[in-house]
Amino acid sequence: TSIEERQESSKGANPRVGLRKSMTQIPQALASLSLKDKVIVVTGGNSGIGKSIVEVVGSLGAKVVIDYRSHPERTEALIEEVGELGGQSIGVQADVSKLENLQHLIDTAVQTFGKIDVMVNNAGIETRTSILDTSPEDFDKVMNVNLRGVFFATQYAAKQMISQGSGGRIINISSVHEDWPMPNNTPYCVAKGGVRMLTRTAGVELAGKGVSIVNVGPGAVATPINDSTMNDPDLLAKLNAAIPIGRMAQPAEIASVVAFLAGNGASYMTATSVFADGGIMMSSPGL
Ligand code: BGC
């Protein structure tokens, strides 16, 4: 049938009926963006992308558990800020590379708020060392935080989510470098590649148990991990030139993606990665 024929055949029908039907789903879609009363744990939550995630999800009504390793005074200030934004949060000092600390984090979240709806594995470090100059100590340090920590935080959070009956979501802050090489940052890329596969595999394993897992892969974000680049005008110009959007991201531009994924609007997403990278992975000189 041609377009004209279809228009002709729908003439008799009330054109508003279809519209009204779709409108009934709008409140549901809007509600799916709310994070009201969701309990969200954010590792590495008092700086960089993590801090922004805490601010954004706290503003959207979540009860936030801020994991941090150092600078308790920053956590205190953040808790106050979240309160001013109308949210509720607590701080827990826990090093994600230590399994007993991780368990303590999960236990404190549950003791305080009764459950965990969303676990955001955000804490991350990098050594910026090449395959040739990475020491075993460098390697272990990066793996312990960026891969082992994420693996066991996923395991502990998933066990809690399954036992509480309501399921939950795990969001891993990965990187474009889960898939895209960064020469001279080899251990970091290896760990993030591991997180890519962790999310795919554990996401499939746990899909039937009500636990979904999604990676968020940021590109270059204006946070302390990138201080050395941001403090060097030549390096920064080179980086900006490599990004199709032409600039680094602000942390809130990653946090807003996480906020969407934490809500029910992302209920059909699992075992996959979402990139917010200004197009850097697709960058091409067109030659
Ligand atoms: C890394 C940064 C890097 C950025 C873009 C991030 O995951 O931590 O060092 O600049 O990716 O390549």
Side-chain angles (χ1 to χ4, degrees):
T1 52
S2 68
I3 292 175
E4 295 82 77
E5 275 168 348
R6 260 184 276 143
Q7 279 172 346
E8 197 56 39
S9 71
S10 67
K11 252 188 186 159
N14 180 351
R16 302 200 60 123
V17 170
L19 184 64
R20 277 207 217 104
K21 199 171 167 204
S22 75
M23 281 170 77
T24 59
Q25 290 164 19
I26 292 175
Q28 202 185 325
L30 288 179
S32 75
L33 297 171
S34 164
L35 299 180
K36 193 158 168 29
D37 294 332
K38 280 196 187 289
V39 179
I40 303 187
V41 181
V42 183
T43 69
N46 74 354
S47 79
I49 296 172
K51 176 169 182 261
S52 190
I53 295 170
V54 168
E55 292 164 340
V56 172
V57 302
S59 302
L60 289 167
K63 293 176 176 159
V64 194
V65 179
I66 306 166
D67 158 76
Y68 67 100
R69 198 190 52 178
S70 53
H71 294 293
E73 73 291 350
R74 286 186 198 161
T75 307
E76 285 311 312
L78 185 56
I79 290 171
E80 228 173 84
E81 195 199 317
V82 170
E84 282 161 21
L85 292 165
Q88 202 184 339
S89 63
I90 60 159
V92 182
Q93 188 163 24
D95 179 340
V96 298
S97 68
K98 299 193 172 115
L99 299 190
E100 61 284 2
N101 281 205
L102 263 184
Q103 191 62 64
H104 169 68
L105 172 64
I106 302 287
D107 292 347
T108 310
V110 176
Q111 276 153 22
T112 311
F113 294 125
K115 57 174 182 163
I116 297 175
D117 296 300
V118 182
M119 178 80 199
V120 183
N121 291 315
N122 164 78
I125 56 170
E126 63 185 25
T127 52
R128 297 221 180 169
T129 50
S130 81
I131 179 69
L132 298 179
D133 62 19
T134 299
S135 68
E137 292 74 28
D138 287 338
F139 180 87
D140 289 346
K141 215 165 84 182
V142 173
M143 290 303 147
N144 285 342
V145 174
N146 294 14
L147 184 55
R148 188 172 179 266
V150 176
F151 186 102
F152 286 101
T154 298
Q155 182 186 91
Y156 296 172
K159 281 187 176 168
Q160 167 59 31
M161 289 164 180
I162 292 166
S163 77
Q164 72 200 16
S166 53
R169 182 157 310 139
I170 294 161
I171 300 172
N172 295 322
I173 308 304
S174 173
S175 165
V176 288
H177 300 300
E178 69 168 49
D179 199 41
W180 190 57
M182 182 171 178
N184 300 310
N185 206 4
T186 317
Y188 182 80
C189 293
V190 171
K192 295 296 184 182
V195 172
R196 178 182 174 84
M197 210 52 198
L198 167 65
T199 292
R200 277 154 180 67
T201 311
V204 171
E205 284 184 10
L206 299 176
K209 295 188 158 63
V211 177
S212 55
I213 315 183
V214 179
N215 279 7
V216 174
V221 187
T223 69
I225 210 170
N226 281 312
D227 273 348
S228 59
T229 306
M230 291 189 290
N231 294 334
D232 179 330
D234 291 342
L235 266 188
L236 182 59
K238 244 180 159 176
L239 174 60
N240 286 340
I243 304 170
I245 282 185
R247 60 171 178 85
M248 297 174 83
Q250 288 304 311
E253 294 178 286
I254 308 304
S256 57
V257 176
V258 174
F260 165 71
L261 291 172
N264 298 343
S267 54
Y268 204 60
M269 297 179 75
T270 198
T272 193
S273 302
V274 177
F275 295 99
D277 70 342
I280 198 171
M281 290 171 86
M282 298 298 145
S283 181
S284 161
L287 297 170

